[in-house]
Amino acid sequence: MNMRAEIAGPTYSGKTASVGFVRGPFARVDATRSGGRAVGTPSDEALALRTALAAANRQIASLANAAGGEAAQILEFQIALLEDGDFLDSIFAAIGTGTPADAAWSSALDDQIADYNSAPDEYLQARSSDLADLRDRVLRKLHDGVNEALQIPAGAVVCADDLPPSQFLEIDWSSGGGLALLRGSPTSHVAMLARARGIPMVVQLGEVAEQAQVALLDGEGATLELDPTLEQLGLFERRRRVHRQNHTAARAILGTPAASWHGEKIRLLINIQRVEDLYHPDAQYADGIGLMRTEFLLGKQAGLPDEEQQYLAYDAVCRWGGKRAVTIRTFDAGGDKPVRGFTTDGEANPFLGVRGLRLCLARPDVFVVQLRALARAAVRGNLKVMFPMVTIPEELETARKLFVDAVAALTGEGIPATLPELGIMVEVPAAALTIERFNASFFSIGSNDLAQYVTACDRSNGSLDKLSDPLHPAVLQLISRTAEYGRRHGSSVSLCGDMAGDPRCIPALLSCGLRELSVNPSALAQIKQAIDTLSPGVACD
C-alpha cells in the first residue's frame, strides 16, 4: 500500500479584482518583443512605420467598436496617440536622420512609458501598460507584418505580468476562464472590463511558476493554485459551491417585496453607462435608475456625439424606466476619464482640475448640446438630471440657466422640451459641508470621490487601502449630514458610489439615514439580501 501523501501544488495570494471561481488550463502569457528586421532607406522606414501605425489603428478601432461603452473609451487613449501629429513628427524626424523605424518608435514610446511609470498617481501609472501594449503591437507589425490574437485554451486561467485592455478584449471569454496577474491593480482598466464581463480576476500575485497544467483561481479568496492535489481540488470545489449557493439564494429574493429596514422601504436603483446595460436580467427588479454615466457616450471614434445621438440614448433609457425615475448625470469627463477634443491635457493633478461640471461650464459648446438632448427626453416625465463635481452654488445656478435657455430655444423651434428635476452630486467636501446653500431638488452622494478627497488618498493606490477606507468616520459624518439635510427639507438623497454595492458598508449607510442606494445591476441581489438579513438594531460604529 502506497502511503506517500500527494505533494500540494503551489498556492499564491494576491488581491481580488473580480469575484468568481475558475478551474481550467493554465495559460501563461508574457509580452515578447519580435526579433530583428532588415532596415531600408529613411523613406522605406518611414513608409514601413506609417503602414504599421495604420494597421494598429484599424485593429484597435475594430476592438473598440466591437466592445463599445467603457472599453471603447479606454482604447481611445491608444488611438489618440496614434493620431497625435506632434508626437509622431519627432519619430519621423529621427527616421529621417537614419534611425530605423523600430528603434525610433521604441525610443519614443519607452520615454512615454517611463514618464507614466514615474507619475505619483496610480491611474496614470496604469496608462503605462496601455502604452507598452501599443508599442509592442506596432513593433510586431513592423517585424512580422502580422498581429495574431492570443491563442488561449477555452476556459483557461490566463496568467501574465500585466494585461492591457486590448489584449483582454482579443481573448474569447465565451467559455469562461479567469485572469491572474503578477502585478496589476483592482482599479485598472482591465479589472473594470473583467468585472463588467463577470471574469474572475486576481492581481498582485508576485512571482508565479512558468508552467502548470491545471489552475484553480479563487477570486473571492484572492488565491491561485497550480496543479492542485485532490485535497486542494476538493476544498476549492466546496468554496465554489458555497459561492454559487449564496449567489443563487441572493437572486431568488429579487422578486420578493422591497427591502426594508426599521419598517422603512429601501429603494434599490441601478447604475448604468449605456443602454445595453439595461439588458442585464436583474435590471428589471430595480426601483429605477440612480445613475447613468453619460461620459461613456464620448468614447466613439467619430468625435463627440451630436444632439440626436444623445437624445436617442436618453429617450431609450427613459422609455425603459416607464413610471420609475431615471437619473442621468451630465458629462463627468476629466480626472481619470480624459476625452479627446473635450478635456484639458497636461493638468498637473487632473483629479483636482477642470473636470465634471467645471469642464462643462468651460465648454458650453459641448454642454448645451447635451442639455438640449436631455430637455427633449424629459418630456416623458420621469427624468431627473444631476451635475457632477459641484463645489459652489453658483455652478449649479449657471448650469440651471443654460438648461432653461436650452428649453426655451427648443420650444421656440417647435421641438417638445421641458426642464427636468435638477440635482447635484455630493462628492466635493465643500458641497457636503455647505449642503444647505444649494437649491437642488435632490442629492446623490458620490462616495468614491468623496472618500478620496476627505482622506487625501488616491483611491486607486492599493498601498493606501487602510487610510482610504470609505467607512472612515469623517466620510460617514458627511454622508449623515447630507442625508439629514435631505430628510429635513423633503429632498431625496441617494448614494451611487462603490459603498452602495459593498455589503460591509450597508449597515453604516442605513444608520447614516440613507434610504436610496444605487448599484450595478449585478450587485442588486447581493445588496437586497444584505439588507433583508440585517438586524434592525445594527448601527454604524
Side-chain angles (χ1 to χ4, degrees):
M1 180 176 180
N2 187 356
M3 301 296 292
R4 183 176 61 84
E6 287 186 282
I7 299 175
T11 299
Y12 307 91
S13 297
K15 286 187 175 182
T16 296
S18 181
V19 175
F21 290 76
V22 180
R23 170 188 176 185
F26 180 70
R28 187 69 184 256
V29 175
D30 290 308
T32 56
R33 304 283 282 271
S34 301
R37 57 182 288 273
V39 179
T41 65
S43 60
D44 290 336
E45 291 297 286
L47 177 60
L49 181 57
R50 291 188 192 282
T51 302
L53 293 174
N57 198 329
R58 288 193 299 271
Q59 285 182 331
I60 298 169
S62 177
L63 287 172
N65 288 331
E70 190 171 21
Q73 189 182 46
I74 291 170
L75 295 178
E76 180 78 8
F77 175 71
Q78 293 189 6
I79 294 173
L81 194 64
L82 286 172
E83 298 174 354
D84 186 337
D86 292 337
F87 174 69
L88 296 177
D89 284 348
S90 63
I91 299 175
F92 284 108
I95 292 174
T97 64
T99 304
D102 50 352
W105 172 254
S106 291
S107 177
L109 266 293
D110 288 344
D111 288 345
Q112 292 270 330
I113 291 167
D115 287 343
Y116 276 95
N117 273 329
S118 63
D121 187 283
E122 190 169 329
Y123 169 81
L124 295 177
Q125 292 174 20
R127 287 291 196 183
S128 66
S129 175
D130 298 347
L131 288 170
D133 174 47
L134 181 62
R135 176 197 61 198
D136 294 341
R137 182 178 294 275
V138 172
L139 285 177
R140 288 194 296 271
K141 272 296 185 184
L142 279 170
H143 288 230
D144 308 322
V146 297
N147 244 325
E148 295 183 358
L150 296 173
Q151 300 300 310
I152 304 296
V157 173
V158 179
C159 180
D161 180 60
D162 203 351
L163 197 73
S166 69
Q167 288 191 14
F168 176 89
L169 294 168
E170 286 177 329
I171 297 173
D172 181 3
W173 298 104
S174 60
S175 299
L179 189 55
L181 299 184
L182 311 190
R183 296 189 298 116
S185 165
T187 59
S188 68
H189 284 151
V190 74
M192 294 161 62
L193 295 176
R195 286 192 292 271
R197 288 159 174 75
I199 304 300
M201 178 177 171
V202 176
V203 299
Q204 299 178 21
L205 287 162
E207 295 297 323
V208 172
E210 294 286 337
Q211 301 290 332
Q213 296 297 314
V214 177
L216 306 178
L217 187 69
D218 178 348
E220 194 168 66
T223 61
L224 171 69
E225 299 172 272
L226 299 182
D227 291 331
T229 63
L230 289 176
E231 181 181 6
Q232 286 177 296
L233 184 58
L235 291 172
F236 174 85
E237 290 298 343
R238 283 196 285 277
R239 294 198 304 273
R240 174 154 67 173
R241 188 162 52 250
V242 169
H243 173 77
R244 286 176 174 170
Q245 289 171 346
N246 290 341
H247 182 69
T248 300
R251 290 203 75 237
I253 70 169
L254 279 175
T256 62
S260 63
W261 191 73
H262 281 304
E264 293 184 80
K265 177 183 176 181
I266 308 300
R267 301 185 70 242
L268 294 180
L269 314 168
I270 55 173
N271 301 331
I272 66 169
Q273 60 197 33
R274 52 182 182 165
V275 177
E276 290 81 0
D277 293 344
L278 297 173
Y279 301 158
H280 191 286
D282 293 353
Q284 61 181 309
Y285 298 104
D287 292 317
I289 295 174
L291 168 65
M292 179 182 182
R293 301 180 176 98
T294 60
E295 57 272 12
F296 292 103
L297 296 173
L298 301 173
K300 304 300 181 183
Q301 309 308 312
L304 300 175
D306 62 24
E307 179 184 322
E308 191 64 22
Q309 289 174 305
Q310 293 188 57
Y311 164 69
L312 291 174
Y314 306 149
D315 185 63
V317 173
C318 289
R319 279 191 284 111
W320 178 91
K323 294 182 179 180
R324 294 172 290 186
V326 169
T327 303
I328 295 180
R329 183 178 68 189
T330 56
F331 296 141
D332 188 20
D336 58 348
K337 291 169 283 192
V339 177
R340 183 172 42 150
F342 185 30
T343 53
T344 304
D345 295 328
E347 288 187 299
N349 193 334
F351 280 99
L352 299 178
V354 183
R355 55 174 298 203
L357 186 59
R358 303 169 184 178
L359 174 64
C360 288
L361 294 179
R363 291 290 307 273
D365 56 318
V366 175
F367 192 32
V368 169
V369 173
Q370 180 176 42
L371 296 180
R372 284 173 59 94
L374 288 167
R376 291 169 60 189
V379 299
R380 291 195 177 273
N382 62 343
L383 177 62
K384 300 164 68 176
V385 172
M386 64 183 176
F387 303 118
M389 281 296 292
V390 179
T391 306
I392 58 176
E394 288 78 6
E395 292 174 307
L396 170 60
E397 297 312 315
T398 301
R400 190 194 311 275
K401 184 179 185 307
L402 287 173
F403 218 149
V404 169
D405 291 346
V407 172
L410 285 165
T411 53
E413 297 165 20
I415 301 173
T418 190
L419 186 70
E421 278 191 67
L422 300 181
I424 66 168
M425 292 283 290
V426 180
E427 49 196 342
V428 177
L433 288 167
T434 59
I435 194 71
E436 65 280 352
R437 299 179 61 213
F438 293 87
N439 181 25
S441 296
F442 65 95
F443 303 92
S444 181
I445 300 171
S447 60
N448 297 354
D449 273 329
L450 183 63
Q452 175 173 244
Y453 295 139
V454 168
T455 61
C457 292
D458 176 3
R459 67 175 186 257
S460 66
N461 190 333
S463 65
L464 300 176
D465 284 349
K466 290 184 179 179
L467 295 178
S468 60
D469 189 342
L471 291 175
H472 190 291
V475 178
L476 295 179
Q477 284 181 27
L478 293 184
I479 293 173
S480 294
R481 177 186 178 88
T482 305
E484 173 60 23
Y485 175 81
R487 187 163 48 250
R488 289 199 318 266
H489 293 269
S491 303
S492 68
V493 178
S494 64
L495 187 143
C496 60
D498 287 346
M499 288 182 75
D502 186 345
R504 77 186 181 99
C505 295
I506 298 304
L509 295 179
L510 297 181
S511 295
C512 285
L514 289 173
R515 298 297 180 262
E516 291 186 12
L517 302 173
S518 193
V519 303
N520 293 330
S522 59
L524 264 179
Q526 184 183 30
I527 297 306
K528 183 172 183 182
Q529 184 184 49
I531 295 171
D532 282 353
T533 57
L534 186 63
S535 168
V538 174
C540 69
D541 297 329

